Amino acid sequence: MTAKSYHVLGLGNAIVDILARTDDPFLTDQGMVKGTMALIDAERAEAIYAAMGPAVESSGGSAANTIAGLSALGARTAFIGRVADDQLGRVFGHDIRALGVAYGTPPAADAPPTARCFVLITPDGQRTMNTYLGASVHLSPDDVDENEVARAEILYVEGYLWDLAPAKEACLKAMRAARRSGTRVAFSLSDKFCVDRFRGEFHQLIDDHIDILFANEAEITALAETDDFDAAMRSVTGRVEIAALTRSEHGSVIVPREGAPVAVAASPVPEVIDTTGAGDLYAAGFLYGLTHGFDLARSARLGGLAAAGIIGQIGPRPQGSIARLVERSA
């Protein structure tokens, strides 16, 4: 079996976030559904950019945020995701490598511009996202190095990739390579509307490929087609090694294949500034714990601490090392 050089290898959309504060009337005027993510085309991207207020650019993307968080905690990480050979693509590559993440996916030639996500943050800290996928749609099975997958303890995949046929095939290639090499597969459901689009395929993935499932309450209840969280939790019990289910201010519940669920309270947040990346950083903390011998409760506490920290700032990436959270989770 291949030696494990990385704690976690992420596979996801390489996106630059463009974040701006706004209010509920702006969302209404723009026809946006608060708290959700919508896919948009280049024309709509230009229109939103022209209408929104002053913005901050930050390298993002769900799985990339998780990998960045893991690196900031001190884990060994790598990432696969496609950008274009343009200014935003260079920003993304610089930012993720500066965090210590191994990132070698070459920029796409003759491709649309690098993907960007417009993140509109309302005064309650809620974020509404509109994503132009751009060059990220060029992620393909050719970008997946099976030897790199084999070098990771855990492969982490974001559900957003299921919107793109070549990217979906890249995910399946990576998951099959993981199974052959003893690499565990972690998967995030990503978004309630993503679940609605691919519910049947996600159920099949859970049964065939996934060891560790991440979902928030809205996503897991959408998957189970119920409003009852307990019923949704039972619907995945025994189907994966671990299901990590987050419930915002109510903390999280970890559901192991065997044994009783583990409920962990939410970490306090002095002030909610921006919820962008909260789920991504929870996954980072939890995966750090799993790859460093923590029990489920401590892994969930570390996830909660990482999520609480990111909620207290603008943007989805930790501002410097957050390794101190490891000790605080004990």
Side-chain angles (χ1 to χ4, degrees):
M1 187 163 298
T2 304
K4 303 299 184 183
S5 306
Y6 308 124
H7 291 113
V8 183
L9 166 66
L11 181 62
N13 288 317
I15 298 174
V16 175
D17 289 331
I18 301 174
L19 305 103
R21 293 186 180 276
T22 191
D23 52 26
D24 289 341
F26 179 86
L27 301 182
T28 301
D29 290 345
Q30 292 290 319
M32 299 176 185
V33 179
K34 185 175 179 178
T36 64
M37 190 283 286
L39 295 177
I40 58 175
D41 59 19
E43 183 179 357
R44 176 70 170 141
E46 291 297 328
I48 292 173
Y49 189 64
M52 67 193 296
V56 174
E57 294 178 358
S58 171
S59 295
S62 180
N65 292 338
T66 296
I67 292 301
L70 275 156
S71 186
L73 284 165
R76 299 187 306 277
T77 60
F79 179 72
I80 298 170
R82 178 72 75 174
V83 297
D85 186 12
D86 58 15
Q87 180 59 30
L88 288 183
R90 288 185 285 275
V91 166
F92 181 92
H94 170 270
D95 286 357
I96 200 164
R97 293 188 187 101
L99 291 167
V101 178
Y103 175 59
T105 311
D110 301 322
T114 294
R116 71 283 316 264
C117 178
F118 300 97
V119 183
L120 288 308
I121 306 158
T122 42
D124 59 0
Q126 185 63 269
R127 81 281 188 274
T128 302
M129 299 181 291
N130 289 263
T131 304
Y132 168 59
L133 291 172
S136 68
V137 303
H138 287 256
L139 183 70
S140 75
D142 291 341
D143 294 314
V144 175
D145 183 337
E146 296 187 6
N147 292 324
E148 284 288 276
V149 174
R151 293 173 62 196
E153 293 182 27
I154 294 175
L155 168 71
Y156 180 73
V157 181
E158 63 177 78
Y160 286 130
L161 288 175
W162 246 250
D163 280 302
L164 313 166
K168 183 189 302 187
E169 291 306 313
C171 294
L172 291 170
K173 177 183 177 181
M175 290 175 176
R176 294 180 186 117
R179 187 67 65 211
R180 290 193 296 270
S181 60
T183 294
R184 289 190 288 178
V185 176
F187 185 80
S188 168
L189 293 182
S190 293
D191 181 87
K192 175 187 181 297
F193 293 101
C194 193
V195 174
D196 290 340
R197 289 192 294 273
F198 302 108
R199 183 177 292 106
E201 291 180 66
F202 283 179
H203 275 298
Q204 196 68 49
L205 279 177
I206 287 169
D207 291 330
D208 293 347
H209 293 289
I210 296 170
D211 301 297
I212 304 157
L213 178 69
F214 288 95
N216 64 26
E217 186 165 0
E219 293 156 5
I220 198 65
T221 53
L223 183 73
E225 298 182 90
T226 179
D227 293 328
D228 185 335
F229 174 78
D230 290 337
M233 180 176 66
R234 290 193 296 273
S235 76
V236 293
T237 301
R239 296 172 64 192
V240 290
E241 178 187 337
I242 300 166
L245 310 178
T246 58
R247 308 189 72 188
S248 300
E249 70 272 16
H250 301 299
S252 62
V253 180
I254 312 304
V255 185
R257 189 185 299 278
E258 299 179 358
V262 178
V264 175
S267 297
V269 180
E271 182 181 8
V272 176
I273 302 296
D274 172 18
T275 59
T276 308
D280 303 334
L281 267 292
Y282 178 91
F286 191 84
L287 291 173
Y288 183 95
L290 286 189
T291 55
H292 287 76
F294 297 179
D295 62 22
L296 295 180
R298 185 179 177 189
S299 297
R301 285 196 298 273
L302 181 55
L305 287 166
I310 215 69
I311 289 170
Q313 66 166 60
I314 292 288
R317 297 282 177 89
Q319 296 172 356
S321 172
I322 54 173
R324 66 189 184 284
L325 299 181
V326 174
E327 290 187 6
R328 286 180 57 192
S329 70

